[in-house]
């Protein structure tokens, strides 16, 4: 095992830890290839609900769910697809130059995936940890003789101190679909969060900036994702695995493909990433 990588149980679930010499670290579960923690600069950057069900079956609330091959309820599959609920294999870890560590998890089609979806495929999630930076890359390989069509997301729950003081910059002027009101419009600059917020944006070509009080995180995504989803449930929305005031402490900013599917030809590949960088104060 590469130095900086260790295995540990997390609430009874197998997890892997990557740790850099500067103390930055992450923890990913084999269940769903679900990233549940990213600590940079001594601070947890992801929100994980203390009410999350960690039984190795249910979807986990917080961290980074991998939504594939369906976003939300936009198709016949379970909400956000099924890969977030299946065990992934560990394919390998490497220490790359420049003091970075990377780890790849793999999910191949089999009886568990065919229970939902007939498609043959390989999905890989690579977590690349650098000082102050995390990149998640989803690689798909269509190993089938049929085209593979999907929607999905890297559904990142960024931890924030106070959603009322949080702003997201960089989606101003982008085509916006407000799915709460079913209204099409253009993104404001900056986005602010005072009530339930669930909107799909045409992806911007430049990184976004998440402002949480004095803290700044830039969020970039590959051009292969067509959309960015921004979600916060707001006050008063009962979600069983969130406490009543949990909405104050996260903002989901998701590299996503929502309004139109991506189609990968037989034998073809697709790659999409999201990169988050903590800026020095
Ligand atoms: O509760 P989940 O299945 O994890 O979905 C959580 C949320 O994901 C996305 O952000 C969607 O835009 C929301 O409409 C949805 O509520």
């Amino acid at each position: 095992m590469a130095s900086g990588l260790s295995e540990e149980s997390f609430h009874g679930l197998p997890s892997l830890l990557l740790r850099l010499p500067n103390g930055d670290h992450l923890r990913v579960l084999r269940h769903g290839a679900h990233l549940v923690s990213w600590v940079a600069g001594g601070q947890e950057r992801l929100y994980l609900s203390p009410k999350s069900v960690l039984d190795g079956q249910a979807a986990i609330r917080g961290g980074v769910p991998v939504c594939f091959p369906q976003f939300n309820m936009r198709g016949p599959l379970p909400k956000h697809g099924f890969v977030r609920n299946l065990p992934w294999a560990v394919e390998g870890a490497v220490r790359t130059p420049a003091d970075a560590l990377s780890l790849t998890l793999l999910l191949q089609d089999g009886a568990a995936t065919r229970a939902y979806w007939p498609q043959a495929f390989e999905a890989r999630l690579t977590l690349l940890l650098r000082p102050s930076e995390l990149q998640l890359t989803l690689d798909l390989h269509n190993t089938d003789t049929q085209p593979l069509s999907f929607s999905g997301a890297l559904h990142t729950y960024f931890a924030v101190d106070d959603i009322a003081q949080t702003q997201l910059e960089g989606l101003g002027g982008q085509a916006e679909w407000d799915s709460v009101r079913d209204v099409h419009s253009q993104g404001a600059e900056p986005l602010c969060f005072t009530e339930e917020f669930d909107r799909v944006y045409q992806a911007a070509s430049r990184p976004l900036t998440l402002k949480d009080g004095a803290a700044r995180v830039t969020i970039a995504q590959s051009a292969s994702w067509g959309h960015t989803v921004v979600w916060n449930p707001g006050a008063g929305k009962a979600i069983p695995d969130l406490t009543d005031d949990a909405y104050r402490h996260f903002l989901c900013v998701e590299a996503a493909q929502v309004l139109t599917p991506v189609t990968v030809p037989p034998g073809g590949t697709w790659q999409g990433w999201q990169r988050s960088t903590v800026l020095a104060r």
Side-chain angles (χ1 to χ4, degrees):
M1 210 178 276
S3 97
L5 171 69
S6 54
E7 287 187 67
E8 222 180 65
S9 156
F10 181 72
H11 297 275
L13 299 178
S15 81
L16 294 116
L17 281 153
L18 290 185
R19 185 178 292 275
L20 297 180
N22 78 343
D24 286 8
H25 58 278
L26 65 76
R27 181 193 296 276
V28 63
L29 306 184
R30 286 191 47 206
H31 175 66
H34 201 120
L35 182 66
V36 290
S37 170
W38 169 41
V39 173
Q43 201 180 316
E44 178 58 66
R45 304 294 170 171
L46 301 178
Y47 177 81
L48 179 64
S49 172
K51 285 183 77 181
S52 196
V53 179
L54 295 164
D55 64 356
Q57 309 283 325
I60 292 168
R61 175 70 61 196
V64 186
V66 178
C67 304
F68 176 85
Q70 176 182 295
F71 187 82
N72 213 336
M73 305 291 278
R74 306 177 75 89
L77 297 174
K79 189 178 180 193
H80 287 324
F82 50 82
V83 305
R84 63 176 175 167
N85 293 327
L86 294 178
W88 291 50
V90 178
E91 191 170 60
V94 286
R95 183 175 285 281
T96 59
D99 198 19
L101 271 174
S102 104
L103 173 68
T104 300
L105 292 106
L106 165 69
L107 181 70
Q108 288 173 299
D109 62 287
T113 68
R114 279 191 226 107
Y116 299 103
W117 203 43
Q119 187 82 39
F121 70 99
E122 290 177 355
R124 286 177 173 79
L125 185 75
T126 298
L127 305 105
L128 173 62
L129 184 66
R130 295 193 182 99
S132 303
E133 190 167 277
L134 169 71
Q135 180 166 320
L136 303 178
T137 304
L138 181 64
D139 279 288
L140 300 171
H141 182 191
N142 180 4
T143 52
D144 211 323
T145 52
Q146 305 296 319
L148 182 162
S149 281
F150 73 94
S151 58
L154 296 170
H155 191 310
T156 308
Y157 287 68
F158 289 96
V160 298
D161 261 359
D162 179 4
I163 192 70
Q165 306 299 323
T166 298
Q167 297 185 340
L168 185 65
E169 285 181 356
L171 288 167
Q174 296 301 111
E176 172 192 83
W177 175 54
D178 176 343
S179 72
V180 178
R181 295 177 182 76
D182 193 14
V183 169
H184 291 266
S185 176
Q186 287 188 328
E189 184 75 337
L191 301 180
C192 302
F193 308 96
T194 54
E195 57 188 340
E196 182 182 6
F197 195 106
D198 194 354
R199 301 186 190 181
V200 180
Y201 295 88
Q202 199 67 37
S205 54
R206 299 187 41 203
L208 312 181
T209 304
L210 178 63
K211 296 182 160 181
D212 166 28
R216 301 279 180 276
V217 178
T218 61
I219 305 164
Q221 64 183 56
S222 57
S224 50
W225 296 110
H227 307 106
T228 301
V229 177
V230 182
W231 178 60
N232 179 276
K237 188 159 176 137
I239 299 181
D241 54 3
L242 284 175
T243 58
D244 289 349
D245 69 345
Y247 76 94
R248 294 175 190 270
H249 301 301
F250 69 84
L251 180 69
C252 290
V253 183
E254 311 164 32
Q257 187 66 38
V258 180
L259 304 177
T260 49
V262 168
T263 300
V264 185
T269 59
W270 178 91
Q271 181 180 79
W273 52 258
Q274 184 190 52
R275 182 167 58 231
S276 308
T277 310
V278 176
L279 302 186
R281 297 214 188 177

